[in-house]
């Protein structure tokens, strides 16, 4: 539990009864983001359906779901061994900039380390993810995206250079809750 704006923020594993609220929260959180494809909620649903949702955490405050984070398998040049992708991460738009995303990321990364993950990768804003130890321009690529937004946090041996591939759910974005 984390003290959060004078109330407790509880971070826990998702439950089946959370699925609709997670979907709605994610869609709401990304609705005003120009980089969003609008498929973030369906991606999480498909990750879950495909068995690729390695870690799925929710943040709850006063019994209301206010945040979510997903971690799924990530491969480099087709090889995936204890490497995971972070994302999407979402917080209730009414509660942005109150530490929900930070708390979810810190807990998620701690859980990855507890399962002996070798590394975590993502595509995102370097200014935001640098505080967690993620590094861009690290030899990883994702299509034509700038190298600084393709980032990794490595706990084990160094990662090979190469193209990263996310779980299949990221390419389709289908499936309603």
């Amino acid at each position: 539990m984390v003290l959060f704006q004078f109330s407790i923020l509880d971070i826990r594993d998702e439950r089946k009864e959370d699925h609709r609220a997670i979907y709605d929260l994610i869609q709401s959180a990304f609705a005003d983001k120009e980089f969003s494809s609008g498929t973030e909620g369906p991606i999480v649903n498909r990750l879950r359906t495909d068995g690729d949702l390695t870690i799925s955490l929710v943040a709850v405050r006063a019994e209301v779901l206010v945040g979510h984070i997903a971690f799924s398998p990530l491969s480099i040049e087709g090889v995936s061994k204890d490497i995971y992708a972070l994302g999407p991460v979402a917080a209730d738009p009414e509660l942005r900039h109150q530490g929900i995303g930070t708390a979810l990321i810190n807990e998620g990364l701690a859980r990855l380390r507890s399962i002996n993950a070798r590394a975590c990768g993502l595509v995102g804003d370097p200014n935001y993810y640098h505080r967690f130890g993620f590094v861009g321009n690290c030899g990883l690529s994702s299509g034509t995206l700038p190298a600084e937004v393709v980032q990794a946090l490595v706990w084990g041996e160094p990662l090979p250079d190469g193209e990263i591939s996310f779980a299949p759910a990221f390419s389709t974005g289908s499936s309603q809750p």
Side-chain angles (χ1 to χ4, degrees):
M1 281 192 234
V2 177
L3 186 57
F4 174 75
Q5 296 293 88
F6 308 109
S7 65
I8 299 295
L9 181 68
D10 185 32
I11 298 177
R12 61 169 171 76
D13 292 320
E14 74 166 29
R15 300 176 185 152
K16 186 172 176 68
E17 61 267 21
D18 297 325
H19 294 181
R20 182 66 206 204
I22 290 168
Y23 179 89
D24 291 343
L25 172 87
I26 293 169
Q27 291 301 102
S28 176
F30 283 92
D32 65 347
K33 301 296 184 194
E34 69 178 53
F35 58 81
S36 172
S37 63
T39 60
E40 291 83 4
I43 286 169
V44 171
N45 285 344
R46 172 117 186 255
L47 286 169
R48 189 182 294 116
T49 300
D50 291 352
D52 285 334
L53 195 53
T54 306
I55 296 173
S56 180
L57 302 175
V58 295
V60 179
R61 183 176 78 168
E63 299 182 36
V64 176
L65 194 140
V66 296
H68 176 263
I69 193 167
F71 293 88
S72 57
L74 181 72
S75 63
I76 302 171
E77 297 294 333
V79 177
S80 177
K81 183 168 176 7
D82 302 321
I83 304 170
Y84 299 91
L86 183 163
V89 59
D92 183 322
E94 300 294 318
L95 301 172
R96 285 187 181 141
H97 309 292
Q98 295 186 27
I100 296 169
T102 297
L104 285 164
I105 291 168
N106 284 331
E107 178 64 21
L109 293 174
R111 292 201 186 190
L112 282 180
R113 287 191 300 271
S114 77
I115 63 170
N116 297 317
R118 179 177 166 197
C120 182
L122 60 84
V123 172
D125 180 357
N127 295 318
Y128 181 76
Y129 289 102
H130 175 75
R131 72 177 101 172
F132 302 102
F134 285 90
V135 176
N137 295 308
C138 58
L140 299 179
S141 60
S142 181
T144 60
L145 292 174
E148 64 269 10
V149 303
V150 183
Q151 302 169 65
L153 174 59
V154 180
W155 298 295
E157 62 188 66
L159 297 176
D161 291 350
E163 181 81 11
I164 61 171
S165 298
F166 295 92
F170 284 88
S171 63
T172 63
S174 62
S175 175
Q176 295 293 317

